[in-house]
Amino acid sequence: GGIITQTPKFLIGQEGQKLTLKCQQNFNHDTMYWYRQDSGKGLRLIYYSITENDLQKGDLSEGYDASREKKSSFSLTVTSAQKNEMAVFLCASSLGGGQLYFGEGSKLTVL
Amino acid sequence: GDSVTQKQGQVTLSEDDFLFINCTYSTTTYPTLLWYVQYLGQGPQLLLKVTTANNKGISRGFEATYDKGTTSFHLQKASVQESDSAVYFCALVDLTSGSWQLIFGSGTQLTVMP
C-alpha cells in the first residue's frame, strides 16, 4: 500500500504571512488534490493537478498558489494568511474512479 | 452545475441502533455517488461507491443505495457500534470538468453512545 504524507501537521503563522504546505505520495498516482476543510462545511477544492507541472484551479483557489514539480509531490502556498483561513488542509491523490487517498491533514492557525 | 446537499449535521445514536443518513444530488450526467468516512485525526477514506451500474454498495456492514426518482442517496447500517463514531461525507463525481473531481456534502457527525 501507499501513503500520503503532509508536512507540517500543524502550522502557525501571522496574519499577512506567506505559508507553504507540502504533500508527498508514493502511490505513483497521476492526480493530486488540495482541499480545505472548515468545520460544518465539508471539503472544498482549492487546486488539483492531473500530472507533473499541471495546475488546475478549484472553486476556492483565490489567495492560494500551488506547485507540482514532481509526480510525487504537490505543495500549496497561502499567499497572505488571514484569520478566517484557520482550517484543516487535506492533500489527496487518485488514479481516477472517484477513489481519493487522503493524508491526515495540516491544521493552519493564524494569529 | 452539479451539487450535493447533506442536511444532517449531527446524529447521536446508541449501540445497536439503526443508522440512516441521506443526501440529495443534482447532476445532468449519470451519477457516481460515494460515501467517505473520516475518523478523528485522520483524513477521509472511501467507504462505498454507487453507480447506475450497480445501484447499491456494501462494505463493513454499511449499505449505500440511490434513488434516481428523488435524486437522493442513502447510507445505512443495521446496528451501529461505538467504533462507527466518525464524520460521514457523501460525494458526487463531477465529470463536467473532464477529470475526476468530487463534490462533497457538508458531513454528518455520527456519535454512537455505548
Side-chain angles (χ1 to χ4, degrees):
Chain A
I3 191 167
I4 303 272
T5 303
Q6 290 187 235
T7 54
K9 200 172 176 71
F10 299 96
L11 182 59
I12 301 174
Q14 300 289 330
E15 197 167 15
Q17 193 176 357
K18 185 175 175 179
L19 302 166
T20 297
L21 303 169
K22 295 185 185 292
C23 177
Q24 295 272 344
Q25 56 103 354
N26 63 0
F27 287 100
N28 201 33
H29 288 163
D30 286 319
T31 306
M32 295 186 74
Y33 306 81
W34 275 107
Y35 283 89
R36 174 173 152 172
Q37 183 173 21
D38 295 274
S39 178
K41 289 188 179 179
L43 281 65
R44 291 181 288 173
L45 183 64
I46 306 172
Y47 267 96
Y48 68 102
S49 167
I50 61 174
T51 189
E52 185 178 322
N53 293 317
D54 173 75
L55 293 173
Q56 308 284 338
K57 292 183 178 182
D59 290 339
L60 211 62
S61 62
E62 189 170 334
Y64 301 94
D65 285 330
S67 173
R68 182 99 182 267
E69 293 177 359
K70 293 191 301 184
K71 185 175 182 178
S72 61
S73 66
F74 194 29
S75 62
L76 180 73
T77 297
V78 181
T79 55
S80 177
Q82 303 297 316
K83 285 201 173 180
N84 63 5
E85 280 178 310
M86 292 167 65
V88 175
F89 292 82
L90 289 162
C91 176
S93 71
S94 176
L95 262 181
Q99 179 154 15
L100 272 59
Y101 294 84
F102 285 88
E104 292 188 341
S106 295
K107 185 171 183 179
L108 174 65
T109 302
V110 182
L111 302 176
Chain B
D2 290 4
S3 66
V4 64
T5 303
Q6 185 173 4
K7 289 188 176 178
Q8 295 160 282
Q10 304 241 9
V11 172
T12 301
L13 299 171
S14 298
E15 279 197 322
D16 298 323
D17 279 352
F18 173 70
L19 170 69
F20 184 86
I21 303 174
N22 183 64
C23 282
T24 56
Y25 67 91
S26 173
T27 181
T28 56
T29 62
Y30 290 105
T32 296
L33 305 158
L34 308 106
W35 286 96
Y36 276 78
V37 58
Q38 184 178 28
Y39 299 102
L40 191 64
Q42 298 181 21
Q45 55 185 273
L46 181 65
L47 178 60
L48 284 166
K49 180 177 173 179
V50 182
T51 67
T52 52
N54 61 16
N55 288 342
K56 180 189 286 190
I58 298 176
S59 175
R60 301 189 237 168
F62 289 89
E63 181 177 312
T65 56
Y66 91 103
D67 185 327
K68 188 179 175 183
T70 59
T71 62
S72 62
F73 61 121
H74 326 291
L75 178 70
Q76 61 187 55
K77 188 176 186 185
S79 175
V80 293
Q81 302 302 305
E82 195 177 353
S83 58
D84 293 324
S85 296
V87 181
Y88 292 82
F89 294 97
C90 55
L92 170 69
V93 175
D94 175 11
L95 293 174
T96 58
S97 63
S99 66
W100 289 89
Q101 286 190 49
L102 299 187
I103 302 170
F104 284 90
S106 53
T108 298
Q109 171 72 60
L110 171 66
T111 302
V112 180
M113 310 296 287

